[in-house]
Amino acid sequence: MNGPRVVVITGAGGFIARHLHDRLLAEGVEVRGVDLVGVPERGILAGTTADLSTWAHLLEGADAVVHTAATVSNVMPLDHMWEINVLATDGVLRAAAAAGVDHFVHLSSIAAFGHDFPDGVTEDYPSRVTGATYGDTKVNGEAVVLAAHATGVIDCTVIRPGDVYGPGSRPWVLIPIDLIRKRQAILPDHGSGIFSPVYVDNLVDGIVLALEQPVARGQIFTITDGVGITCGEYFGRLADMVGGSVRSLPAPLARRLALTVGTLTRAIGRDSELNEASIAMLTRHGTYSIDKARSMLGYEPAVDLDEGMRRVHEWLVAEGLL
């Protein structure tokens, strides 16, 4: 690898971070990590980005930080989301700068575009708050990162991943399959909303390119597979794997049902991400351009949907889940 020799990954036990960790190690990079649950054999210390006292020493001598740690939820209280996705992001990047780290790569989300945007939207389109706590705190987190770059605190890059799937993905593989098996999978408007997949290895390719190339600094890059498919097609493929089906409701009814069911489920102490924001994600009708990543980074998604789904199926079989 022609980029950094020592990289710190926050949220190092997460789905994306695990794949990035393995790629960097394979390329001879020293990888240090922090996550809520430590994994000593992988060099991951237990800690939180809200309190650096137990792991700040990992930043010493590091060349880059890849900040994947975040709370991903639309039902968590806003104060908690703000603390982790905004204030902690600011704290980590400033600690990195104080330790002499050269580059801070921040994983944001296409949620920063909001739910209503032009087809083929590019990174120069204004980010938008919608009232959905996850997307809004990602917008705020980006503002913190870009301000730090603009004021010379530390060189920063913002990555906006698409809908990240692959073997082991909870939100886009395991949870949908569980709902399909329980006959609880429902899509609004016949699944006509647009899903913008990015296979996890493709996303890792984009992150590594951003780490390697100086031109990435100060920039925002959307990283997807470069295609938009209907939600009906994506979740239909998962349904086919388990011999199930996905039902549909008109969007207004789906929103009311999600709000009611989600509220009741949480009231009895069970986890549920169902609310109006979760339905809004499934009714997006625009796609995201990756032309900037292609032209500036040389990014090209190597794994298409057919191959990605084949790998998901193979993993599910190997794990005894099919």
Side-chain angles (χ1 to χ4, degrees):
M1 184 174 176
N2 296 321
R5 306 313 306 169
V6 181
V7 174
V8 175
I9 303 176
T10 67
F15 174 60
I16 295 167
R18 292 196 307 271
H19 287 263
L20 176 63
H21 182 282
D22 291 346
R23 175 76 63 82
L24 293 175
L25 281 182
E27 297 193 8
V29 177
E30 179 185 336
V31 183
R32 307 168 185 171
V34 61
D35 202 290
L36 294 176
V37 178
V39 188
E41 63 270 24
R42 289 176 65 84
I44 300 174
L45 293 186
T48 171
T49 54
D51 179 5
L52 279 71
S53 62
T54 62
W55 64 272
H57 61 282
L58 297 181
L59 299 168
E60 298 296 332
D63 303 305
V65 169
V66 181
H67 184 54
T68 78
T71 297
V72 182
S73 173
N74 278 314
V75 299
M76 280 278 189
L78 178 59
D79 286 350
H80 172 79
M81 301 288 287
W82 174 264
E83 179 184 9
I84 300 301
N85 292 356
V86 185
L87 293 182
T89 296
D90 183 62
V92 173
L93 72 83
R94 292 185 182 279
V101 177
D102 186 51
H103 191 194
F104 186 87
V105 177
H106 176 63
L107 259 66
S108 181
S109 169
I110 52 173
F113 288 110
H115 302 133
D116 185 14
F117 46 85
D119 192 46
V121 69
T122 62
E123 292 87 344
D124 57 3
Y125 189 76
S127 55
R128 183 174 182 175
V129 294
T130 65
T133 52
Y134 175 68
D136 289 359
T137 55
K138 280 300 186 180
V139 170
N140 297 149
E142 284 189 7
V144 163
V145 171
L146 294 173
H149 180 89
T151 55
V153 174
I154 187 172
D155 282 354
C156 297
T157 302
V158 172
I159 303 288
R160 291 178 177 171
D163 302 318
V164 189
Y165 80 103
S169 166
R170 281 186 54 77
W172 298 128
V173 174
L174 294 174
I175 291 175
I177 283 178
D178 181 58
L179 291 173
I180 290 165
R181 283 178 163 152
K182 293 176 178 176
R183 300 186 179 181
Q184 297 175 356
I186 298 174
L187 290 175
D189 291 344
H190 303 287
S192 62
I194 299 300
F195 188 87
S196 293
V198 56
Y199 187 73
V200 63
D201 288 353
N202 292 341
L203 174 58
V204 168
D205 287 343
I207 296 170
V208 170
L209 287 167
L211 283 168
E212 289 177 335
Q213 301 192 33
V215 71
R217 302 185 182 205
Q219 300 294 332
I220 301 172
F221 295 100
T222 299
I223 303 293
T224 77
D225 289 348
V227 298
I229 60 174
T230 66
C231 289
E233 178 181 351
Y234 178 80
F235 293 104
R237 286 179 180 240
L238 295 180
D240 289 343
M241 291 184 193
V242 297
S245 62
V246 180
R247 293 178 291 167
S248 176
L249 288 174
L253 181 56
R255 284 193 291 270
R256 290 196 296 271
L257 181 63
L259 179 60
T260 301
V261 172
T263 300
L264 290 174
T265 302
R266 290 186 291 275
I268 62 174
R270 295 180 181 176
D271 292 336
S272 174
E273 281 292 321
L274 283 175
N275 65 1
E276 291 173 302
S278 63
I279 297 301
M281 288 178 61
L282 300 173
T283 57
R284 296 169 293 178
H285 286 286
T287 60
Y288 307 89
S289 171
I290 59 170
D291 287 349
K292 182 177 179 181
R294 279 176 160 145
S295 62
M296 292 186 68
L297 300 179
Y299 168 74
E300 193 62 43
V303 180
D304 65 14
L305 185 65
D306 288 338
E307 174 60 17
M309 283 297 190
R310 187 196 67 77
R311 294 183 187 183
V312 167
H313 183 271
E314 184 178 76
W315 177 82
L316 289 168
V317 171
E319 293 293 313
L321 299 173
L322 285 183

